[in-house]
Amino acid sequence: MSIEANSITKKFGQFAALDEVSLEIPSGELVALLGPSGSGKTTLLRIIAGLEFADSGTVLFDGEDTTQRTARDRRVGFVFQHYALFRHMTVFENIAFGLKVRPRGQRPSKEQIHAKVDELLRLIQLKNLANRYPSQLSGGQRQRVALARALAVEPSVLLLDEPFGSLDAKVRLELRRWLRQLHDEVQITSVFVTHDQDEALEVADRVAVMNKGRIEQVGSPDEVYHHPLTPFVYNFLGNVNLFHGRKIVN
Amino acid sequence: MATAITLRAGKFATTPRVATAATTESTAVRWILISIALCFLVLFLFLPLAIVFSEALRRGIGAYWKNLLQPDALAAIRLTLLAAGIAVPLNLLFGVAAAWAIGKFEFVGKSLLITLIDLPFSVSPVVSGLIYVLLFGLQGLLGPWLARHDLQIIFAVPGIVLATIFVTFPFVARELIPLLQAQGQEEEEAALALGASGWQTFFRVSLPNIKWGLLYGVILCNARAMGEFGAVSVVSGHIRGRTNTMPLHIEILYNEYQFAAAFAVASLLALLALATLVIKTVVEWRARRQLAESTQWNGGEQVV
């Protein structure tokens, strides 16, 4: 499903978190929202998810206006920065939650739910930990459970907020490769927020660089890295030497 | 309560501090401190409790039962159970709603609401009783209107229930606010994004996460509701067999020199206190673990 955000503005009090931001995400693409903290990337993601509402602007899914719909009706998979797993449920129950809360008519049978959860557990390689509680898992394992839980409802869009933010360097590296693989397998339109340049450049099909509530540049990793449009993008994406020059006209 | 400290200290709050050679005291000092604490406990806690039971049973177990089964005593027990039976569920409802609003949402007047919730703690119970007399009494603000419609609140059961509700209001809310704040909103948001309705989110995600804190608040609320004296005393009118709760009945019996009877009813309240203490200890332990887990959780630390 394609996502289209049109001139989104969002203010928290006096602070403009987003200022007339527009972004188009074609179906099936994996896009990174990259920027320093406070640049508005998480706010944009939450507005796309329907967890937050914009002051002005529209969000379209496949050309259909979803601006007024809540997160519940948008059918998005959302992975939270701190995972937000249900702490009193086992891994199995966590993943099954989205299926179990469906209205009676659309709810799959017990066997179907079981099969679906088993399949997802295999996908995240945690089949033997189905009966553990989240507090008994490592950070990387929790992250994968959060992903499986979001995927269980077969969302049309997958949104991830700093998915690797609170993991140690080694696990982070493994998990981001795994996410890339997963995306190649499932082919679901995905957006993830990150402040880590390497992560965005390595994982994403396209990168949107954000600064102070605006999008500075959108392009493939190659494009934004080799042809930065603004000094900010240039600065943010690598260690740079900035030479100031003066043009002398005779 | 140690909540604020727990919040700040995060996961370290659960590690007990171990005395090292540098912080420990000499044996003599330790024994002196322990004996002072023990003396205090015996003098002010155990001794009164023991006296209550020994006085109650002084004339034998038969007299004890006879005292308890007097019609007036039974009426007082019934009324106390009724008042607590109404006040506790209502305050459970109000408390959860108020704590929910404060813990999960930002709105104008939030600190005012917190202050209002604490009001029953800071106002003397006698004064809160008087407020109801001034409101609903015959000479009160709504008195004439109530009299015309033949409704009696003061010196009747409704007044007692109202006073009990007022006095015990903060217990549930106070217990839940720090817990809800520590837990944040992420789990609820996750549930909503997964397609759960508001009710499903509340009953399947929010409620299980606060159940121990909630139970703890309810136990404290109940103990206070049954033991409340001041506020109820003002609005009750002390009509024997009709508007006397257990604490009021005890006072009347005592003033009439019926010591054995007074202590017999008092022993029931003491038993309630002991039972509350035991349940409280168990629940408190679970509740604290829940809070500690919540703070750890949102700290996002890793257990590898």
Side-chain angles (χ1 to χ4, degrees), chain B residues 70-287:
Chain B
Q70 274 174 5
D72 284 355
L74 282 179
I77 294 171
R78 260 200 301 274
L79 183 58
T80 297
L81 290 178
L82 176 74
I86 297 174
V88 173
L90 282 179
N91 274 339
L92 172 71
L93 218 63
F94 297 150
V96 171
W100 189 261
I102 289 169
K104 301 268 175 182
F105 302 100
E106 290 300 326
F107 54 89
V108 185
K110 188 164 157 174
S111 51
L112 184 72
L113 184 59
I114 297 177
T115 315
L116 278 178
I117 288 175
D118 276 344
L119 193 68
F121 275 169
S122 48
V123 169
S124 156
V126 177
V127 176
S128 45
L130 271 177
I131 296 170
Y132 283 105
V133 174
L134 291 175
L135 261 180
F136 301 121
L138 258 184
Q139 265 72 46
L141 212 58
L142 302 169
W145 186 86
L146 288 170
R148 240 177 298 139
H149 291 81
D150 212 21
L151 291 169
Q152 201 184 3
I153 291 185
I154 298 304
F155 306 143
V157 177
I160 293 172
V161 172
L162 276 178
T164 310
I165 290 175
F166 179 81
V167 172
T168 57
F169 178 70
F171 286 99
V172 173
R174 267 282 142 205
E175 203 47 53
L176 289 184
I177 289 169
L179 191 59
L180 286 169
Q181 279 174 336
Q183 285 176 351
Q185 288 191 55
E186 278 206 334
E187 280 182 57
E188 277 84 6
E189 283 181 346
L192 289 176
L194 286 168
S197 67
W199 285 112
Q200 282 174 321
T201 305
F202 180 75
F203 283 109
R204 287 171 180 240
V205 175
S206 313
L207 201 58
N209 278 343
I210 58 169
K211 65 177 178 215
W212 290 110
L214 190 66
L215 195 57
Y216 183 53
V218 165
I219 290 164
L220 287 183
C221 182
N222 182 57
R224 180 68 192 269
M226 292 191 171
E228 174 54 26
F229 180 83
V232 171
S233 171
V234 177
V235 296
S236 122
H238 305 270
I239 308 168
R240 277 195 176 206
R242 283 183 50 203
T243 65
N244 262 353
T245 61
M246 280 161 78
L248 301 183
H249 190 61
I250 293 169
E251 194 208 16
I252 288 181
L253 289 174
Y254 189 82
N255 286 343
E256 290 173 349
Y257 302 103
Q258 301 189 43
F259 296 133
F263 279 110
V265 183
S267 72
L268 281 188
L269 280 182
L271 275 179
L272 168 78
L274 287 177
T276 304
L277 211 66
V278 172
I279 304 171
K280 196 190 93 143
T281 314
V282 176
V283 172
E284 194 178 27
W285 178 70
R286 301 291 306 251

Side-chain angles (χ1 to χ4, degrees), chain A residues 12-74:
Chain A
F12 294 110
Q14 289 297 309
F15 175 72
L18 292 173
D19 185 13
E20 296 275 324
V21 168
S22 295
L23 180 66
E24 245 178 87
I25 299 162
S27 191
E29 219 170 53
L30 177 55
V31 173
L33 297 178
L34 174 66
S37 57
S39 58
K41 50 197 189 319
T42 294
T43 310
L44 181 59
L45 192 78
R46 289 172 62 87
I47 286 173
I48 294 175
L51 292 170
E52 205 101 53
F53 290 95
D55 297 336
S56 67
T58 52
V59 178
L60 309 181
F61 282 7
D62 263 348
E64 202 182 324
D65 192 351
T66 60
T67 316
Q68 298 304 321
R69 285 193 218 153
T70 60
R72 192 184 168 209
D73 301 323
R74 288 196 197 183

